[in-house]
Amino acid sequence: MLKTLKIGLLFGLILSACAAHAELPYGYKVVLLTENFPPFNMAVDDKNFARDDGIDGISAEVVRAMFKRAKIDYSLTLRFPWDRLYRLTLDKPNYGLFSTTFTPERQPLFKWVGPIAKSGWVLLAAPGNNLSLKSLKEAGQYKVGAYKNDAVSQHLESQGLQPINALRDQQNVQKLLKGQIDLWATTDPVGRYLAKQEGVSGLTTVLRFNEAELYLALNKDTPDEVVQRLQKALDELRSEGFVDDMTDSYL
């Protein structure tokens, strides 16, 4: 009788373990999209298209580890521009996008896993520019360049500013040097990294106006089971020190 009870209990545990992953259909896969957003995600060869192992960066490494631990299959593609990737993730089930800045405006549009990393929002001026601002509102009298459909640009628009949006954030470096814009609204440390890639250093931080958290944004039709398993995996990786170690290795 005791042996039968033990067998029954063991069988029940096996069924319970299987049920925890039974909600995902056979062959389920998440289509992950990202862009060149160094040092968080970027193509190894610096081009605007890459797949899987051709992509590295802090967020890319953390996301890979998350999916491996959660035992969820995925494909990973880096493309351009961000605006297209953003709209694809909004429209297509089982699509995911990172590194996506979490904002109250975006919260109802996606399902979220994170934070994967943190960053800051800044207004940068050309080298030698002594411009000083105390608030974002004061920036309204200047020409401000930003990156189309990026969270920074969206925030500026929500505050009544009218940023001059570029399809590639790198374009704002030369715009700043040529005087086509007075200020560059971007993410730190991304802006300085991009400027360095363009051979430009010494940009001045005129204003730091927000601290942001970067997430994996999933299409709203993504099963809750996927979200829960990925978040659990990320929480475990963070508690083990993996996320901090990966961040330190790039910065």
Side-chain angles (χ1 to χ4, degrees), residues 96-219:
L97 178 64
F98 72 92
S99 299
T100 308
T101 302
F102 180 90
T103 66
E105 295 83 5
R106 286 176 171 176
Q107 183 174 5
L109 302 178
F110 302 96
K111 291 184 179 179
W112 300 87
V113 177
I116 299 169
K118 295 183 179 182
S119 64
W121 294 353
V122 293
L123 292 177
L124 300 178
N129 190 321
N130 296 319
L131 183 64
S132 177
L133 298 179
K134 295 181 179 179
S135 69
L136 192 58
K137 184 177 180 180
E138 294 180 7
Q141 60 187 306
Y142 299 99
K143 293 179 291 184
V144 180
Y147 183 21
K148 187 175 181 180
N149 248 341
D150 179 62
V152 179
S153 176
Q154 291 176 345
H155 180 74
L156 295 181
E157 292 168 351
S158 74
Q159 298 301 305
L161 278 72
Q162 297 180 326
I164 303 170
N165 288 313
L167 285 179
R168 298 178 70 244
D169 211 14
Q170 292 93 326
Q171 294 172 353
N172 288 310
V173 178
Q174 295 304 320
K175 284 185 175 183
L176 200 61
L177 296 181
K178 294 177 182 178
Q180 296 173 350
I181 56 175
D182 302 309
L183 298 166
W184 176 21
T186 187
T187 304
D188 184 53
V190 178
R192 296 182 186 281
Y193 184 95
L194 294 177
K196 186 177 180 180
Q197 296 297 102
E198 297 288 317
V200 177
S201 60
L203 296 180
T204 303
T205 301
V206 174
L207 181 70
R208 192 175 185 95
F209 59 95
N210 192 37
E211 298 299 322
E213 293 183 322
L214 305 178
Y215 278 67
L216 166 64
L218 296 162
N219 180 273

Side-chain angles (χ1 to χ4, degrees), residues 4 6 126 197:
T4 303
K6 288 182 177 179
Q197 296 297 102

Side-chain angles (χ1 to χ4, degrees), residues 7-159:
I7 293 174
L9 180 60
L10 179 60
F11 186 66
L13 290 172
I14 293 172
L15 285 178
S16 296
C18 292
H21 299 282
E23 294 181 35
L24 300 184
Y26 178 77
Y28 179 85
K29 177 185 289 189
V30 176
V31 179
L32 291 175
L33 301 175
T34 191
E35 62 156 353
N36 276 313
F37 185 53
F40 299 109
N41 22 270
M42 50 197 170
V44 173
D45 60 8
D46 294 325
K47 295 182 179 179
N48 282 322
F49 179 82
R51 290 187 185 277
D52 302 317
D53 292 341
I55 303 165
D56 62 6
I58 299 168
S59 297
E61 299 293 353
V62 172
V63 168
R64 281 193 183 99
M66 282 165 45
F67 273 81
K68 181 178 180 180
R69 179 164 296 202
K71 297 181 180 179
I72 297 173
D73 196 13
Y74 69 93
S75 64
L76 175 55
T77 305
L78 181 147
R79 293 182 182 275
F80 163 84
W82 172 263
D83 181 60
R84 178 169 178 255
L85 307 184
Y86 186 86
R87 295 185 183 282
L88 278 171
T89 307
L90 277 174
D91 296 339
K92 291 187 173 291
N94 304 324
Y95 270 57
L97 178 64
F98 72 92
S99 299
T100 308
T101 302
F102 180 90
T103 66
E105 295 83 5
R106 286 176 171 176
Q107 183 174 5
L109 302 178
F110 302 96
K111 291 184 179 179
W112 300 87
V113 177
I116 299 169
K118 295 183 179 182
S119 64
W121 294 353
V122 293
L123 292 177
L124 300 178
N129 190 321
N130 296 319
L131 183 64
S132 177
L133 298 179
K134 295 181 179 179
S135 69
L136 192 58
K137 184 177 180 180
E138 294 180 7
Q141 60 187 306
Y142 299 99
K143 293 179 291 184
V144 180
Y147 183 21
K148 187 175 181 180
N149 248 341
D150 179 62
V152 179
S153 176
Q154 291 176 345
H155 180 74
L156 295 181
E157 292 168 351
S158 74
Q159 298 301 305

